Amino acid sequence: MANKISVSVMCSDLMNLEHDIKVLEQNGVDWLHIDVMDGHFVPNLTFGPVVVKSIRPYTDKVFDVHLMMTNPADFIEAFVKAGADMITVHLECADDVPMLISMIKKHG
């Protein structure tokens, strides 16, 4: 696979997220990295499926959704339906990581 540029939208201006995404696109970004933090697995609280769904119509860039959360299995389907193209989980977030991988693969 050729090198790809994936930029996190975590520090974007949430009131102007569409604008910030367009600026990233104009500057050659390949993927948008979306850090999802639950306030438990990591102390910050960020985006949920509603935000991913709301920005999906504004770009065809790959959404690389990074689930930094305690119970990612509860959210995989919601993020896929919201428009995630890729989902990353942490090995230490669950007892049954092979099950999580199977869930992700099941959704393509």
Side-chain angles (χ1 to χ4, degrees):
M1 176 194 301
N3 293 333
K4 300 288 182 189
I5 298 172
S6 180
V7 176
S8 176
V9 296
M10 184 172 68
C11 294
S12 295
D13 178 354
L14 295 181
M15 294 299 292
N16 294 295
L17 197 48
E18 178 185 1
H19 172 265
D20 288 0
I21 289 169
K22 295 299 180 196
V23 169
L24 292 171
E25 287 181 327
Q26 292 165 0
N27 284 281
V29 166
D30 298 299
W31 298 351
L32 297 178
H33 184 83
I34 303 169
D35 289 302
V36 177
M37 302 176 187
D38 66 359
H40 182 260
F41 184 72
V42 292
N44 292 339
L45 183 63
T46 59
F47 309 109
V50 172
V51 172
V52 172
K53 183 178 181 179
S54 73
I55 62 175
R56 179 76 279 178
Y58 297 109
T59 183
D60 61 355
K61 296 295 180 186
V62 169
F63 280 10
D64 173 19
V65 177
H66 179 192
L67 302 182
M68 292 180 274
M69 52 180 30
T70 303
N71 298 305
D74 295 342
F75 294 91
I76 289 171
E77 185 172 356
F79 279 104
V80 169
K81 287 181 177 178
D85 297 297
M86 299 171 59
I87 294 180
T88 304
V89 297
H90 284 255
L91 289 174
E92 66 275 20
C93 73
D95 293 330
D96 193 354
V97 174
M99 181 271 305
L100 288 175
I101 294 169
S102 291
M103 284 181 70
I104 293 167
K105 286 183 175 185
K106 177 183 122 186
H107 291 289

XYZ file of all heavy atoms in Angstrom:
841
model
N 0.841 -1.180 0.000
C 0.000 0.000 0.000
C 0.886 1.244 0.000
O 1.876 1.312 0.707
C -0.897 -0.004 1.240
C -1.743 1.246 1.347
S -2.549 1.570 2.939
C -3.555 0.155 3.190
N 0.518 2.201 -0.783
C 1.246 3.464 -0.832
C 1.076 4.210 0.481
O 0.123 3.990 1.224
C 0.726 4.314 -1.985
N 1.999 5.093 0.779
C 1.894 5.912 1.988
C 0.621 6.745 1.960
O 0.230 7.252 0.902
C 3.103 6.831 2.123
C 4.374 6.055 2.393
O 4.343 4.970 2.955
N 5.495 6.619 2.002
N 0.003 6.873 3.106
C -1.219 7.663 3.244
C -1.028 8.685 4.352
O -0.342 8.426 5.345
C -2.421 6.784 3.610
C -2.738 5.714 2.596
C -3.331 6.308 1.350
C -3.683 5.213 0.362
N -4.064 5.735 -0.915
N -1.654 9.826 4.193
C -1.655 10.846 5.235
C -3.007 10.796 5.926
O -4.049 10.978 5.295
C -1.405 12.249 4.650
C -0.034 12.315 3.990
C -1.539 13.308 5.752
C 0.229 13.581 3.233
N -2.974 10.502 7.232
C -4.195 10.438 8.039
C -4.087 11.491 9.127
O -3.152 11.465 9.924
C -4.340 9.037 8.657
O -5.503 8.959 9.436
N -5.035 12.413 9.142
C -4.993 13.528 10.082
C -6.155 13.428 11.055
O -7.299 13.219 10.655
C -5.037 14.876 9.323
C -5.095 16.039 10.286
C -3.834 15.002 8.408
N -5.846 13.586 12.334
C -6.890 13.559 13.355
C -7.718 14.833 13.285
O -7.184 15.933 13.143
C -6.275 13.428 14.745
O -7.289 13.487 15.726
N -9.022 14.674 13.403
C -9.920 15.834 13.445
C -10.262 16.221 14.884
O -11.075 17.107 15.113
C -11.213 15.597 12.627
C -10.891 15.416 11.168
C -12.020 14.433 13.167
N -9.609 15.580 15.858
C -9.933 15.793 17.267
C -9.805 17.257 17.692
O -10.602 17.735 18.485
C -9.039 14.925 18.152
C -9.384 15.014 19.617
S -8.489 13.825 20.619
C -6.825 14.434 20.506
N -8.830 17.953 17.171
C -8.619 19.339 17.595
C -9.226 20.352 16.624
O -8.915 21.534 16.681
C -7.130 19.606 17.765
S -6.426 18.658 19.119
N -10.108 19.882 15.770
C -10.791 20.785 14.838
C -11.747 21.691 15.601
O -12.144 21.402 16.730
C -11.593 19.979 13.815
O -10.747 19.217 13.009
N -12.133 22.756 14.943
C -13.151 23.654 15.484
C -14.507 22.997 15.251
O -14.977 22.907 14.112
C -13.060 24.999 14.762
C -14.108 26.000 15.208
O -14.994 25.644 16.010
O -14.037 27.154 14.747
N -15.133 22.516 16.298
C -16.384 21.774 16.144
C -17.503 22.610 15.544
O -18.412 22.069 14.919
C -16.828 21.186 17.481
C -15.895 20.128 18.054
C -16.442 19.587 19.361
C -15.651 19.007 17.066
N -17.450 23.908 15.697
C -18.461 24.777 15.093
C -18.221 24.945 13.592
O -19.094 25.408 12.875
C -18.480 26.141 15.779
C -18.946 26.081 17.220
S -20.628 25.460 17.388
C -21.547 26.793 16.650
N -17.020 24.555 13.141
C -16.666 24.692 11.731
C -16.035 23.408 11.196
O -15.126 23.451 10.366
C -15.695 25.868 11.546
C -16.351 27.178 11.876
O -17.278 27.599 11.202
N -15.890 27.809 12.951
N -16.526 22.276 11.641
C -15.934 20.999 11.277
C -15.960 20.755 9.772
O -14.983 20.278 9.190
C -16.640 19.869 12.027
C -15.962 18.522 12.100
C -14.508 18.626 12.520
C -16.709 17.610 13.043
N -17.055 21.100 9.117
C -17.120 20.931 7.658
C -16.023 21.743 6.978
O -15.325 21.248 6.093
C -18.486 21.347 7.125
C -18.587 21.235 5.614
C -19.895 21.768 5.040
O -20.753 22.252 5.806
O -20.050 21.693 3.812
N -15.843 22.981 7.392
C -14.793 23.839 6.830
C -13.416 23.233 7.044
O -12.592 23.168 6.118
C -14.852 25.237 7.453
C -13.697 26.100 7.071
N -12.575 26.207 7.864
C -13.473 26.868 5.976
C -11.702 27.008 7.275
N -12.220 27.423 6.128
N -13.151 22.757 8.263
C -11.843 22.178 8.561
C -11.590 20.929 7.714
O -10.469 20.708 7.240
C -11.735 21.838 10.047
C -11.603 23.089 10.922
O -11.587 24.212 10.383
O -11.521 22.920 12.153
N -12.609 20.119 7.491
C -12.462 18.929 6.646
C -12.129 19.344 5.214
O -11.263 18.753 4.568
C -13.733 18.065 6.707
C -13.833 17.386 8.080
C -13.743 17.020 5.580
C -15.166 16.719 8.339
N -12.789 20.358 4.703
C -12.506 20.834 3.337
C -11.068 21.338 3.228
O -10.390 21.089 2.221
C -13.496 21.931 2.922
C -14.923 21.444 2.806
C -15.079 20.369 1.758
C -16.515 19.898 1.666
N -16.663 18.637 0.962
N -10.583 22.038 4.248
C -9.198 22.521 4.243
C -8.233 21.344 4.214
O -7.248 21.347 3.461
C -8.919 23.436 5.464
C -7.432 23.725 5.621
C -9.702 24.743 5.342
N -8.519 20.316 4.998
C -7.670 19.124 4.985
C -7.671 18.466 3.606
O -6.617 18.068 3.098
C -8.128 18.134 6.057
C -7.926 18.585 7.500
C -8.612 17.628 8.464
C -6.447 18.732 7.828
N -8.848 18.354 2.999
C -8.942 17.768 1.659
C -8.126 18.574 0.656
O -7.392 17.996 -0.164
C -10.395 17.728 1.191
C -11.226 16.682 1.871
C -12.660 16.661 1.358
O -13.208 17.722 0.989
O -13.225 15.570 1.329
N -8.225 19.895 0.712
C -7.493 20.758 -0.216
C -5.986 20.634 -0.035
O -5.220 20.938 -0.950
C -7.919 22.217 -0.024
C -9.338 22.485 -0.448
C -9.859 23.817 0.064
O -9.169 24.566 0.752
N -11.119 24.111 -0.252
N -5.572 20.166 1.136
C -4.144 20.026 1.419
C -3.645 18.595 1.284
O -2.559 18.265 1.748
C -3.831 20.600 2.802
C -3.831 22.109 2.768
O -2.872 22.722 2.325
N -4.919 22.715 3.205
N -4.436 17.742 0.626
C -3.959 16.424 0.247
C -4.096 15.306 1.260
O -3.481 14.250 1.099
N -4.892 15.505 2.290
C -5.089 14.447 3.278
C -5.822 13.272 2.623
O -6.765 13.462 1.853
C -5.894 14.987 4.483
C -6.408 13.876 5.369
C -5.039 15.952 5.279
N -5.362 12.051 2.924
C -5.994 10.850 2.368
C -7.115 10.313 3.258
O -8.142 9.882 2.771
C -4.943 9.739 2.183
C -3.869 10.140 1.203
O -4.209 10.406 0.031
O -2.690 10.214 1.610
N -6.867 10.291 4.562
C -7.817 9.732 5.517
C -8.069 10.735 6.629
O -7.200 11.539 6.971
C -7.265 8.473 6.188
C -6.959 7.314 5.308
C -7.273 7.168 3.976
C -6.275 6.130 5.692
N -6.829 5.953 3.530
C -6.211 5.285 4.563
C -5.715 5.682 6.871
C -5.602 4.044 4.586
C -5.115 4.438 6.901
C -5.061 3.630 5.774
N -9.254 10.651 7.219
C -9.551 11.428 8.422
C -9.546 10.468 9.605
O -10.282 9.478 9.627
C -10.902 12.125 8.310
C -11.000 13.154 7.189
C -12.398 13.757 7.143
C -9.963 14.250 7.361
N -8.694 10.737 10.565
C -8.565 9.906 11.758
C -9.486 10.494 12.826
O -9.370 11.665 13.177
C -7.114 9.903 12.238
C -6.870 9.008 13.403
N -6.642 7.660 13.261
C -6.839 9.262 14.726
C -6.468 7.129 14.454
N -6.590 8.079 15.360
N -10.400 9.671 13.301
C -11.393 10.146 14.263
C -11.163 9.428 15.584
O -11.454 8.236 15.719
C -12.821 9.915 13.727
C -12.972 10.628 12.380
C -13.857 10.381 14.739
C -14.225 10.276 11.616
N -10.589 10.148 16.546
C -10.322 9.593 17.866
C -11.596 9.620 18.692
O -12.151 10.690 18.956
C -9.240 10.407 18.580
C -7.871 10.204 17.959
O -7.425 9.048 17.916
O -7.257 11.190 17.531
N -12.046 8.449 19.102
C -13.253 8.331 19.911
C -12.818 7.958 21.323
O -12.274 6.875 21.547
C -14.220 7.265 19.339
C -15.433 7.114 20.235
C -14.620 7.627 17.914
N -13.034 8.870 22.251
C -12.620 8.663 23.637
C -13.854 8.717 24.531
O -14.683 9.612 24.396
C -11.634 9.744 24.045
C -10.401 9.800 23.186
S -9.358 11.178 23.665
C -8.139 11.142 22.384
N -13.953 7.755 25.442
C -15.166 7.611 26.244
C -15.113 8.266 27.622
O -16.064 8.192 28.387
C -15.546 6.133 26.389
C -14.539 5.315 27.184
O -13.499 5.862 27.625
O -14.786 4.106 27.356
N -13.990 8.874 27.995
C -13.883 9.484 29.317
C -13.626 8.459 30.411
O -13.540 8.804 31.578
N -13.516 7.186 30.034
C -13.255 6.132 30.999
C -11.950 5.407 30.662
O -11.032 5.378 31.463
C -14.426 5.138 31.040
C -14.246 4.054 32.044
N -13.806 2.800 31.687
C -14.432 4.033 33.384
C -13.724 2.047 32.774
N -14.095 2.764 33.812
N -11.865 4.838 29.468
C -10.643 4.164 29.013
C -9.493 5.168 28.943
O -8.358 4.863 29.282
C -10.888 3.505 27.645
C -9.729 2.701 27.133
C -9.402 1.480 27.706
C -8.981 3.144 26.059
C -8.338 0.730 27.231
C -7.918 2.403 25.579
C -7.592 1.191 26.162
N -9.802 6.344 28.471
C -8.886 7.492 28.498
C -9.664 8.660 29.099
O -10.895 8.697 29.021
C -8.354 7.854 27.086
C -7.445 6.773 26.559
C -9.474 8.109 26.114
N -8.984 9.623 29.705
C -9.710 10.678 30.431
C -10.513 11.649 29.560
O -11.451 12.257 30.042
C -8.614 11.413 31.204
C -7.332 11.051 30.530
C -7.535 9.718 29.879
N -10.165 11.788 28.309
C -10.889 12.738 27.459
C -12.205 12.154 26.964
O -12.377 10.948 26.880
C -10.043 13.132 26.247
C -8.835 13.947 26.628
O -8.785 14.552 27.687
N -7.839 13.942 25.777
N -13.109 13.027 26.598
C -14.382 12.647 26.003
C -14.462 13.357 24.661
O -14.302 14.579 24.582
C -15.526 13.093 26.919
C -16.930 12.720 26.513
C -17.092 11.203 26.494
C -17.925 13.326 27.481
N -14.669 12.582 23.580
C -14.686 13.207 22.252
C -15.925 12.795 21.479
O -17.021 12.850 21.995
C -13.415 12.860 21.450
O -13.312 11.446 21.302
C -12.160 13.399 22.099
N -15.739 12.369 20.253
C -16.811 12.127 19.305
C -17.571 10.831 19.554
O -17.022 9.867 20.058
C -16.254 12.063 17.882
C -15.384 13.222 17.511
C -14.025 13.068 17.356
C -15.937 14.473 17.317
C -13.218 14.138 17.004
C -15.143 15.548 16.968
C -13.777 15.382 16.811
N -18.815 10.820 19.099
C -19.614 9.606 19.091
C -20.114 9.347 17.683
O -19.800 10.095 16.743
N -20.923 8.316 17.500
C -21.433 7.983 16.169
C -22.230 9.118 15.522
O -22.203 9.260 14.303
C -22.333 6.765 16.421
C -21.907 6.205 17.716
C -21.341 7.335 18.509
N -22.890 9.925 16.313
C -23.698 11.025 15.752
C -22.806 12.022 15.012
O -23.160 12.503 13.932
C -24.512 11.726 16.865
C -25.189 12.977 16.341
C -25.526 10.760 17.458
N -21.649 12.328 15.563
C -20.729 13.265 14.903
C -20.189 12.638 13.620
O -20.128 13.292 12.572
C -19.588 13.691 15.844
C -18.544 14.506 15.099
C -20.138 14.480 17.023
N -19.803 11.373 13.673
C -19.299 10.694 12.470
C -20.368 10.721 11.375
O -20.086 11.054 10.225
C -18.858 9.251 12.798
C -18.512 8.484 11.525
C -17.671 9.270 13.760
N -21.588 10.401 11.743
C -22.688 10.412 10.766
C -22.908 11.814 10.203
O -23.188 11.980 9.009
C -23.972 9.904 11.427
C -25.131 9.810 10.471
C -26.370 9.252 11.151
C -27.513 9.148 10.152
N -28.707 8.593 10.770
N -22.770 12.834 11.032
C -23.037 14.207 10.572
C -21.984 14.719 9.601
O -22.289 15.541 8.744
C -23.175 15.159 11.763
O -21.923 15.405 12.360
N -20.743 14.225 9.697
C -19.704 14.704 8.772
C -19.534 13.801 7.554
O -18.918 14.206 6.571
C -18.350 14.922 9.486
C -17.799 13.623 10.067
C -18.470 16.011 10.535
C -16.408 13.753 10.683
N -20.087 12.601 7.594
C -19.930 11.663 6.465
C -20.391 12.259 5.133
O -19.703 12.081 4.115
C -20.676 10.354 6.779
C -20.618 9.299 5.689
C -19.290 8.567 5.604
N -18.258 9.301 4.886
C -17.015 8.874 4.727
N -16.623 7.729 5.239
N -16.138 9.586 4.074
N -21.501 12.996 5.058
C -21.935 13.530 3.757
C -20.994 14.584 3.155
O -21.087 14.877 1.969
C -23.294 14.173 4.050
C -23.751 13.587 5.328
C -22.508 13.242 6.088
N -20.082 15.128 3.948
C -19.252 16.230 3.479
C -17.931 15.805 2.845
O -17.195 16.637 2.332
C -18.984 17.216 4.621
C -20.257 17.839 5.109
C -20.782 17.501 6.342
C -20.955 18.734 4.312
C -21.973 18.064 6.784
C -22.150 19.293 4.746
C -22.650 18.951 5.970
O -23.832 19.497 6.401
N -17.626 14.504 2.898
C -16.363 14.051 2.331
C -16.446 12.572 1.966
O -17.195 11.821 2.575
C -15.189 14.278 3.310
O -13.968 13.883 2.688
C -15.382 13.537 4.618
N -15.648 12.196 0.971
C -15.554 10.787 0.628
C -14.234 10.198 1.127
O -13.877 9.073 0.786
C -15.718 10.572 -0.872
C -14.648 11.275 -1.688
O -13.812 12.008 -1.121
O -14.644 11.113 -2.916
N -13.512 10.952 1.940
C -12.257 10.465 2.506
C -12.527 9.283 3.427
O -13.607 9.143 4.009
C -11.541 11.569 3.301
C -11.107 12.742 2.460
C -10.054 12.336 1.445
C -9.619 13.508 0.597
N -8.715 13.115 -0.473
N -11.528 8.426 3.568
C -11.624 7.280 4.474
C -11.724 7.794 5.906
O -10.967 8.669 6.316
C -10.383 6.371 4.318
C -10.315 5.325 5.420
C -10.382 5.719 2.951
N -12.683 7.252 6.643
C -12.819 7.551 8.068
C -12.159 6.418 8.845
O -12.667 5.296 8.894
C -14.287 7.658 8.482
C -14.959 8.952 8.156
C -14.370 9.904 7.358
C -16.220 9.222 8.666
C -15.005 11.105 7.056
C -16.869 10.412 8.378
C -16.261 11.356 7.569
N -11.038 6.724 9.445
C -10.281 5.793 10.275
C -10.697 6.069 11.726
O -10.216 7.008 12.345
C -8.789 6.056 10.048
C -7.881 5.273 10.958
O -8.320 4.265 11.536
O -6.707 5.686 11.101
N -11.627 5.272 12.239
C -12.211 5.519 13.562
C -11.459 4.696 14.606
O -11.413 3.475 14.547
C -13.716 5.189 13.575
C -14.306 5.370 14.960
C -14.455 6.082 12.568
N -10.873 5.404 15.558
C -10.006 4.834 16.586
C -10.781 4.820 17.908
O -10.964 5.857 18.528
C -8.754 5.700 16.682
C -7.771 5.271 17.702
N -6.726 6.078 18.059
C -7.654 4.148 18.440
C -6.006 5.471 18.975
N -6.558 4.295 19.229
N -11.252 3.631 18.299
C -12.073 3.508 19.508
C -11.192 3.331 20.734
O -10.666 2.257 20.999
C -13.039 2.329 19.379
C -14.001 2.363 18.197
C -14.931 1.156 18.228
C -14.797 3.660 18.171
N -11.029 4.421 21.467
C -10.303 4.385 22.733
C -11.364 4.383 23.826
O -11.660 5.402 24.445
C -9.374 5.589 22.850
C -8.228 5.541 21.862
S -7.139 6.958 22.003
C -8.005 8.112 20.939
N -11.960 3.206 24.011
C -13.081 3.096 24.927
C -13.072 1.740 25.615
O -12.472 0.789 25.127
C -14.399 3.345 24.204
C -14.607 2.512 22.973
S -16.170 2.771 22.081
C -16.574 4.434 22.393
N -13.777 1.683 26.722
C -13.807 0.479 27.539
C -14.598 -0.653 26.910
O -14.187 -1.804 26.968
C -14.370 0.806 28.936
O -13.558 1.838 29.508
C -14.348 -0.403 29.835
N -15.718 -0.375 26.301
C -16.567 -1.414 25.726
C -16.799 -1.176 24.228
O -17.919 -0.911 23.805
C -17.916 -1.459 26.456
C -17.753 -1.798 27.917
O -17.158 -2.812 28.250
N -18.258 -0.946 28.790
N -15.758 -1.312 23.411
C -15.916 -0.998 21.991
C -16.931 -1.889 21.274
O -17.553 -1.456 20.313
C -14.514 -1.173 21.415
C -13.820 -2.077 22.367
C -14.406 -1.775 23.714
N -17.127 -3.117 21.746
C -18.088 -4.014 21.095
C -19.484 -3.414 21.078
O -20.261 -3.661 20.157
C -18.109 -5.372 21.799
N -19.781 -2.586 22.079
C -21.103 -1.953 22.153
C -21.298 -0.879 21.085
O -22.423 -0.428 20.870
C -21.314 -1.312 23.533
C -21.345 -2.335 24.656
O -21.552 -3.538 24.379
O -21.146 -1.927 25.819
N -20.217 -0.451 20.436
C -20.294 0.683 19.518
C -19.856 0.397 18.091
O -20.011 1.249 17.220
C -19.475 1.854 20.073
C -20.036 2.414 21.333
C -19.617 1.935 22.565
C -21.009 3.402 21.299
C -20.143 2.438 23.743
C -21.545 3.906 22.457
C -21.113 3.423 23.690
N -19.276 -0.754 17.836
C -18.752 -1.042 16.497
C -19.835 -0.889 15.437
O -19.648 -0.181 14.442
C -18.094 -2.443 16.449
C -16.788 -2.402 17.242
C -17.865 -2.882 15.001
C -16.149 -3.755 17.465
N -20.960 -1.513 15.626
C -22.028 -1.433 14.621
C -22.503 0.007 14.424
O -22.724 0.437 13.291
C -23.207 -2.320 15.012
C -24.271 -2.363 13.939
C -25.362 -3.394 14.214
O -25.275 -4.137 15.208
O -26.298 -3.444 13.403
N -22.643 0.755 15.501
C -23.103 2.148 15.392
C -22.123 2.991 14.580
O -22.543 3.810 13.754
C -23.289 2.754 16.780
N -20.815 2.788 14.778
C -19.838 3.560 14.011
C -19.795 3.122 12.556
O -19.621 3.958 11.668
C -18.456 3.505 14.663
C -18.321 4.472 15.801
C -18.363 4.027 17.108
C -18.178 5.830 15.571
C -18.265 4.923 18.163
C -18.072 6.740 16.613
C -18.120 6.280 17.917
N -19.968 1.845 12.289
C -20.028 1.383 10.899
C -21.228 2.017 10.206
O -21.113 2.556 9.096
C -20.085 -0.157 10.830
C -20.422 -0.627 9.424
C -18.773 -0.763 11.295
N -22.381 1.982 10.854
C -23.588 2.581 10.267
C -23.442 4.089 10.095
O -24.031 4.672 9.188
C -24.808 2.269 11.126
C -25.259 0.837 11.007
C -26.495 0.564 11.856
C -26.966 -0.865 11.671
N -28.128 -1.170 12.518
N -22.646 4.720 10.957
C -22.441 6.174 10.878
C -21.496 6.561 9.753
O -21.451 7.717 9.351
C -21.907 6.695 12.212
N -20.709 5.589 9.237
C -19.833 5.892 8.110
C -18.371 5.554 8.292
O -17.547 5.929 7.457
N -18.017 4.845 9.359
C -16.618 4.453 9.549
C -16.193 3.492 8.445
O -16.924 2.584 8.097
C -16.439 3.784 10.909
N -15.003 3.728 7.899
C -14.434 2.827 6.901
C -13.466 1.840 7.542
O -13.312 0.714 7.069
C -13.680 3.628 5.825
C -14.610 4.543 5.069
O -15.522 4.028 4.394
O -14.441 5.777 5.156
N -12.802 2.298 8.578
C -11.842 1.476 9.318
C -12.120 1.682 10.803
O -12.478 2.784 11.218
C -10.406 1.925 9.020
C -10.006 1.803 7.577
S -8.401 2.579 7.238
C -7.328 1.696 8.336
N -11.920 0.618 11.587
C -12.084 0.734 13.031
C -10.869 0.103 13.693
O -10.465 -1.008 13.356
C -13.373 0.040 13.524
C -14.587 0.781 12.972
C -13.406 -0.023 15.048
C -15.915 0.197 13.393
N -10.299 0.844 14.642
C -9.165 0.367 15.418
C -9.587 0.292 16.879
O -10.255 1.200 17.381
C -7.979 1.351 15.298
O -7.665 1.535 13.926
C -6.761 0.855 16.037
N -9.214 -0.818 17.545
C -9.463 -0.972 18.979
C -8.135 -1.260 19.671
O -7.155 -1.622 19.023
C -10.482 -2.098 19.280
C -11.838 -1.773 18.691
C -9.988 -3.436 18.760
N -8.122 -1.126 20.972
C -6.928 -1.424 21.765
C -7.009 -2.843 22.314
O -8.067 -3.275 22.777
C -6.810 -0.436 22.933
C -6.335 0.908 22.502
N -5.060 1.336 22.734
C -6.963 1.894 21.822
C -4.911 2.549 22.223
N -6.049 2.916 21.669
N -5.896 -3.556 22.285
C -5.860 -4.925 22.796
C -6.298 -4.999 24.256
O -6.956 -5.947 24.660
C -4.448 -5.505 22.671
C -3.969 -5.821 21.265
C -2.507 -6.247 21.286
C -4.825 -6.894 20.630
N -5.926 -3.993 25.027
C -6.216 -4.032 26.460
C -7.636 -3.564 26.816
O -8.001 -3.512 27.979
C -5.176 -3.203 27.241
C -5.216 -1.709 26.974
C -4.418 -1.232 25.762
O -4.100 -2.039 24.868
O -4.129 -0.032 25.706
N -8.452 -3.270 25.825
C -9.794 -2.750 26.088
C -10.832 -3.834 26.336
O -11.929 -3.546 26.799
C -10.262 -1.853 24.955
S -10.690 -2.778 23.473
N -10.501 -5.083 26.018
C -11.505 -6.151 26.143
C -10.817 -7.486 26.393
O -9.654 -7.676 26.037
C -12.341 -6.226 24.872
N -11.551 -8.396 26.982
C -11.020 -9.732 27.234
C -11.005 -10.580 25.963
O -10.171 -11.461 25.824
C -11.862 -10.444 28.299
C -11.726 -9.786 29.660
O -10.647 -9.222 29.935
O -12.698 -9.831 30.436
N -11.924 -10.315 25.059
C -12.066 -11.152 23.863
C -11.787 -10.338 22.599
O -12.691 -10.009 21.833
C -13.471 -11.764 23.823
C -13.591 -12.879 22.798
O -12.628 -13.107 22.027
O -14.653 -13.518 22.772
N -10.523 -10.020 22.385
C -10.129 -9.225 21.223
C -10.430 -9.955 19.909
O -10.901 -9.328 18.956
C -8.653 -8.791 21.325
C -8.198 -8.086 20.056
C -8.458 -7.883 22.537
N -10.220 -11.286 19.809
C -10.593 -11.961 18.556
C -12.070 -11.759 18.200
O -12.417 -11.623 17.024
C -10.269 -13.431 18.829
C -9.159 -13.376 19.838
C -9.514 -12.198 20.724
N -12.944 -11.706 19.206
C -14.366 -11.448 18.953
C -14.555 -10.049 18.376
O -15.330 -9.849 17.444
C -15.175 -11.616 20.246
C -16.681 -11.381 20.100
S -17.230 -9.652 20.352
C -16.592 -9.249 21.956
N -13.820 -9.066 18.910
C -13.921 -7.693 18.382
C -13.472 -7.654 16.922
O -14.116 -7.022 16.092
C -13.056 -6.737 19.202
C -13.517 -6.390 20.590
C -12.462 -5.519 21.289
C -14.854 -5.674 20.559
N -12.378 -8.323 16.638
C -11.870 -8.351 15.264
C -12.896 -8.998 14.346
O -13.169 -8.506 13.240
C -10.512 -9.055 15.193
C -9.463 -8.226 15.941
C -10.090 -9.310 13.752
C -8.148 -8.928 16.172
N -13.525 -10.078 14.808
C -14.567 -10.729 14.017
C -15.744 -9.796 13.761
O -16.292 -9.760 12.657
C -15.067 -11.995 14.718
O -14.077 -12.971 14.715
N -16.135 -9.035 14.794
C -17.242 -8.079 14.637
C -16.900 -7.041 13.576
O -17.715 -6.719 12.726
C -17.542 -7.366 15.957
C -18.286 -8.179 16.973
S -18.592 -7.207 18.477
C -19.816 -6.037 17.866
N -15.693 -6.523 13.654
C -15.261 -5.499 12.689
C -15.239 -6.079 11.285
O -15.777 -5.481 10.347
C -13.890 -4.922 13.100
C -14.011 -4.137 14.417
C -13.337 -4.035 11.979
C -12.679 -3.796 15.052
N -14.662 -7.254 11.126
C -14.605 -7.902 9.811
C -15.999 -8.208 9.266
O -16.251 -8.096 8.068
C -13.768 -9.176 9.875
C -12.288 -8.909 9.978
C -11.501 -10.209 9.973
C -10.025 -9.934 9.942
N -9.255 -11.175 9.812
N -16.910 -8.599 10.154
C -18.277 -8.913 9.749
C -18.944 -7.700 9.066
O -19.749 -7.846 8.157
C -19.105 -9.315 10.971
C -20.559 -9.606 10.700
C -21.287 -9.932 11.994
C -22.415 -8.935 12.121
N -23.138 -9.012 13.356
N -18.546 -6.518 9.487
C -19.127 -5.291 8.925
C -18.322 -4.770 7.729
O -18.608 -3.686 7.225
C -19.213 -4.212 10.000
C -20.220 -4.529 11.057
N -21.573 -4.496 10.824
C -20.086 -4.908 12.344
C -22.220 -4.812 11.921
N -21.341 -5.085 12.859
N -17.355 -5.540 7.304
C -16.593 -5.171 6.112
C -15.490 -4.190 6.391
O -15.015 -3.501 5.533
